[in-house]
Amino acid sequence: MTKAAPCLAPPWTADAIREVLETPLLDLVFRAQTVHRAHHAPSVQLAALLSIKTGGCSEDCAYCAQSSHHGKEVDLTRQPLLSVDDVLAKAQRAKDAGASRFCMGAAGREVRDGPAFNAILAMVRGVRALGLEACVTLGMLKKHHAERLAEAGLTAYNHNLDTGPAFYGQVISTRTYQDRLTTLRHVSEAGIAICCGGIIGMGEATQDRAEMLAVLAGLSPPPESVPINALVAVKGTPLEDRPPVDPFDVVRMCAAARITMPKARVRLSAGRAVMSREAQALCFLAGANSIFYGEQLLTTPNNDTEADKVLLATLGLTPEHVSCAERIAPPRRAF
Ligand code: SAM
Ligand code: DTB
Ligand code: SF4
């Protein structure tokens, strides 16, 4: 008698994901919603975002307002690292407004040991003590940095792939795709959840989007959250003249992320401020279940908080809460 084959999902190839991305829109949304309902309640995670250190970055990411490579042309006020007290006051305000995760972003190539990193560890501890999930995005890091962040109770580390490997070199030259994957490995090995996604609208082809999703879906363990950003074309950056992203393309990316990573949170991220309520609703139908919540992203505006609350209520979506277990327990989580 032959043994039954183990039930393993086949790995997603870029070609298969490209087919998914090119499915007729309503069929795609229907398929994504079917996957979504099998894995998730009708709730949306509200993730507040704060830039804790702004501008003056050595990297040359073509989309970014904070790179000093295009700094002179961008209208941006640099801001050194905020104090722990300031950050925790903002985290408390975000909690009061209903956020369950507090994300802190710092401009810069990589984490370095020293007083600034110690202050960031204190911020993570403080955010967790407020009963919020904590996420940071600090650029590349080494194994011991990830371990210290895990000890401080960090819930997730955001480090995006940004695009597919073939297109990547047209956007960034100062760090490689492999550098990003190495950072992600350090994060996972420390037991911290991975928040990793990318940007559409930088001039990439559908194939590049598919290749990025194939890398993401192939990560082991897979990302806990996947931010889908539509380029915010910031004046003075090399991508300032990129045409606006078609909101249906954002819907397609949310759907393909949901189908290929059924358990992840799919975060409708940058670019939401210029999307209609109806386009956002389609993204939620396609499986998005997280948003950046609060009126500022890092350097650019985000949606009005009250309008977001009304939209979620209109759609019958409830804000996700940090579970009681998560509040009491673990600084380190198995991932
Ligand atoms: N410096 C850190 C790093 O690059 O790893 C963290 C901050 S960085 C600004 C976080 C992510 O925000 C980027 O990887 C990119 O995916 C996204 N992002 C930055 N500027 C953007 C823009 N103008 N439009 C859309 N997404 C953007
Ligand atoms: C992510 O994927 N998107 C956020 C967060 N991670 C840090 C950042 C979006 C930045 C949009 C442009 C800006 O505000 O500078
Ligand atoms: Fe620096 Fe991050 Fe902006 Fe790249 S995305 S220029 S690393 S702040």
Side-chain angles (χ1 to χ4, degrees):
M1 207 168 91
T2 53
K3 275 197 189 160
C7 181
L8 288 175
W12 282 95
T13 63
D15 287 347
I17 298 175
R18 184 178 168 161
E19 271 180 37
V20 170
L21 282 168
E22 289 176 338
T23 308
L25 188 75
L26 296 186
D27 291 346
L28 175 59
V29 171
F30 176 75
R31 180 174 171 191
Q33 174 66 194
T34 308
V35 173
H36 187 65
R37 287 287 167 131
H39 294 274
H40 301 275
S43 63
V44 172
Q45 178 193 51
L46 304 182
L49 178 59
L50 176 68
S51 182
I52 57 171
K53 176 175 177 284
T54 308
C57 183
S58 62
E59 303 303 280
D60 67 354
C61 313
Y63 49 76
C64 188
Q66 305 193 64
S67 163
S68 42
H69 291 255
H70 20 279
K72 287 205 188 78
E73 291 79 36
V74 177
D75 178 19
L76 180 79
T77 310
R78 282 174 67 165
Q79 164 76 60
L81 188 67
L82 298 176
S83 73
V84 178
D85 285 350
D86 277 358
V87 170
L88 295 184
K90 293 207 161 80
Q92 179 67 57
R93 245 178 277 155
K95 183 184 175 182
D96 295 343
S100 62
R101 176 171 289 193
F102 193 70
C103 310
M104 295 166 273
R109 172 179 167 80
E110 63 198 343
V111 176
R112 296 213 178 104
D113 294 304
F117 185 47
N118 293 340
I120 291 171
L121 293 170
M123 292 170 195
V124 171
R125 281 192 292 271
V127 168
R128 296 293 282 130
L130 290 175
L132 291 163
E133 293 184 347
C135 180
V136 291
T137 177
L138 312 170
M140 298 184 288
L141 51 62
K142 298 202 170 69
K143 185 174 157 47
H144 73 278
H145 299 126
E147 286 167 356
R148 292 190 70 195
L149 287 164
E151 276 159 25
L154 189 71
T155 311
Y157 192 86
N158 171 234
H159 196 60
N160 289 342
L161 291 175
D162 284 346
T163 189
F167 188 70
Y168 181 87
Q170 297 198 37
V171 183
I172 300 143
S173 78
T174 48
R175 63 172 74 161
T176 66
Y177 217 71
Q178 185 54 52
D179 288 334
R180 291 188 185 252
L181 293 169
T182 302
T183 289
L184 293 172
R185 180 165 53 76
H186 291 146
V187 171
S188 298
E189 285 178 358
I192 300 168
I194 285 180
C195 170
C196 185
I199 311 175
I200 63 168
M202 300 190 292
E204 75 288 345
T206 306
Q207 183 67 21
D208 297 306
R209 297 176 186 178
E211 284 173 9
M212 177 183 83
L213 288 172
V215 178
L216 289 172
L219 291 175
S220 177
E224 174 265 350
S225 36
V226 181
I228 302 296
N229 295 280
L231 176 72
V232 179
V234 177
K235 198 164 175 304
T237 63
L239 297 181
E240 65 178 354
D241 291 328
R242 288 301 313 160
V245 173
D246 182 342
F248 288 139
D249 282 1
V250 182
V251 176
R252 286 181 181 282
M253 280 301 281
C254 290
R258 170 55 62 229
I259 290 164
T260 54
M261 291 167 274
K263 294 185 179 157
R265 287 198 181 84
V266 174
R267 184 169 306 118
L268 176 56
S269 300
R272 193 169 65 85
V274 296
M275 289 174 79
S276 69
R277 287 167 12 119
E278 295 79 1
Q280 293 177 63
L282 263 183
C283 290
F284 294 128
L285 199 59
N289 60 350
S290 175
I291 55 172
F292 283 122
Y293 176 68
E295 282 154 27
Q296 173 89 355
L297 292 170
L298 292 174
T299 67
T300 65
N302 192 32
N303 306 54
D304 178 80
T305 307
E306 287 309 311
D308 277 345
K309 282 190 194 157
V310 172
L311 177 60
L312 295 184
T314 304
L315 299 178
L317 293 166
T318 50
E320 194 181 281
H321 293 289
V322 182
S323 74
C324 296
E326 172 77 11
R327 260 171 228 250
I328 300 158
R332 291 189 77 119
R333 64 202 253 171
F335 180 65

